[in-house]
Amino acid sequence: GAVVSQHPSWVICKSGTSVKIECRSLDFQATTMFWYRQFPKQSLMLMATSNEGSKATYEQGVEKDKFLINHASLTLSTLTVTSAHPEDSSFYICSASGGISTDTQYFGPGTRLTVL
Amino acid sequence: AQRVTQPEKLLSVFKGAPVELKCNYSYSGSPELFWYVQYSRQRLQLLLRHISRESIKGFTADLNKGETSFHLKKPFAQEEDSAMYYCALDSGGYNKLIFGAGTRLAVHP
C-alpha cells in the first residue's frame, strides 16, 4: 500500500516551453503533497507543500509563478514548470501523506527534467 | 537555522562489519527525526523514525539531544544494505522535511 506515482519519469523540452509533472497517490487519499527538487549529488530541497483544495505554500526562494502547483483532488497534484530554462533541469520528486499514517511521507519515483 | 548535517558522503565497509552513519541536526525546538533510504533505482522510503524507537532491518537510531545527533547504526552490515541514506528533520511538526546531503553506504563482500 501507500504507492505514489509520477508521470512522466523523464522529459526533455526546449527552452521557453512549459512542462507539467503529475503526482498521484494510487491507493490512499493524500491530504498533503510535497514537491522536492534534487540537483545531481545533492540532497532533496523542499519546494512547496500543497493541501487538497487550497493554494500551495512555497518555500523561500521558490518562484510561485515559475513553478505552478495544483492539488485539485485527494489523489492528484501537478507541478508545472513554466517557461523552462536550462537551469531548471533537475530531478523533481513528489511525496504524499494521508490515509492512516498522516505523518509519513510516501515518495514518488521522481521525474528527470532536461531543458535544452 | 534548521539544518541537517551528514558529514560523510561515502561509507565503505565489509560485510559483517559494524556501521554507523552520522547525522547531526540544528533545531531550536523539539525535533522529530527520520532516516530514509534509497536503494539503487528505487524511490526514497522511510527506514525509521526516532519516536517509534524501533529497529528496522537491524538498524537503530537514538536521538541524543545533548549532542544533537541521530546516528544510524547496525552491528553487522549486509551487502543488501548498500544504498543511499538520508537523515531528515521535521521542522515544526508540519511534516515539512529538511534533508541532509545523504551518505552512500557501500557494503563489500
Side-chain angles (χ1 to χ4, degrees):
Chain A
V3 178
V4 175
S5 70
Q6 280 184 244
H7 177 80
S9 54
W10 58 270
V11 57
I12 301 173
C13 69
K14 292 183 179 179
S15 185
T17 60
S18 294
V19 174
K20 181 185 284 188
I21 302 170
E22 291 185 351
C23 177
R24 292 182 186 272
S25 58
L26 299 185
D27 51 3
F28 69 102
Q29 293 186 326
T31 50
T32 307
M33 285 185 167
F34 304 84
W35 286 96
Y36 295 85
R37 184 173 181 176
Q38 186 177 31
F39 289 106
K41 297 186 179 181
Q42 294 189 28
S43 188
L44 287 79
M45 298 294 293
L46 179 65
M47 299 174 66
T49 303
S50 74
N51 293 295
E52 185 265 339
S54 58
K55 290 184 178 180
T57 302
Y58 290 80
E59 295 300 300
Q60 193 172 9
V62 178
E63 299 175 59
K64 60 179 68 176
D65 295 329
K66 173 79 171 174
F67 300 99
L68 300 179
I69 291 171
N70 184 280
H71 190 168
S73 77
L74 285 172
T75 59
L76 173 65
S77 176
T78 60
L79 167 68
T80 301
V81 183
T82 62
S83 187
H85 291 282
E87 57 265 30
D88 298 324
S89 298
S90 189
F91 198 55
Y92 292 88
I93 304 170
C94 76
S95 71
S97 64
I100 297 175
S101 183
T102 57
D103 60 349
T104 298
Q105 290 188 33
Y106 299 96
F107 284 81
T111 297
R112 182 159 303 284
L113 170 63
T114 302
V115 185
L116 302 177
Chain B
Q2 299 157 3
R3 187 180 300 164
V4 176
T5 303
Q6 293 180 251
E8 303 143 325
K9 287 188 176 181
L10 172 66
L11 184 61
S12 188
V13 301
F14 286 104
K15 177 182 173 181
V19 168
E20 181 179 67
L21 291 92
K22 291 182 168 51
C23 172
N24 288 90
Y25 66 91
S26 174
Y27 183 60
S28 57
S30 184
E32 189 168 345
L33 287 148
F34 305 80
W35 276 98
Y36 281 82
V37 60
Q38 188 170 29
Y39 299 102
S40 179
R41 299 182 183 179
Q42 294 187 29
R43 68 191 65 197
L44 203 63
Q45 56 185 287
L46 178 65
L47 180 62
L48 55 79
R49 66 181 75 190
H50 90 271
I51 58 173
S52 300
R53 302 183 67 81
E54 58 197 345
S55 174
I56 303 294
K57 298 184 179 182
F59 285 97
T60 58
D62 292 317
L63 177 62
N64 185 323
K65 292 186 178 181
E67 296 182 357
T68 60
S69 69
F70 187 57
H71 303 327
L72 184 68
K73 300 177 183 179
K74 184 169 183 177
F76 308 103
Q78 303 299 314
E79 289 180 67
E80 55 266 29
D81 296 328
S82 296
M84 195 74 181
Y85 291 81
Y86 293 95
C87 183
L89 167 71
D90 182 348
S91 60
Y94 297 108
N95 212 6
K96 289 174 58 174
L97 297 177
I98 298 172
F99 283 87
T103 298
R104 179 165 298 283
L105 173 65
V107 182
H108 303 284

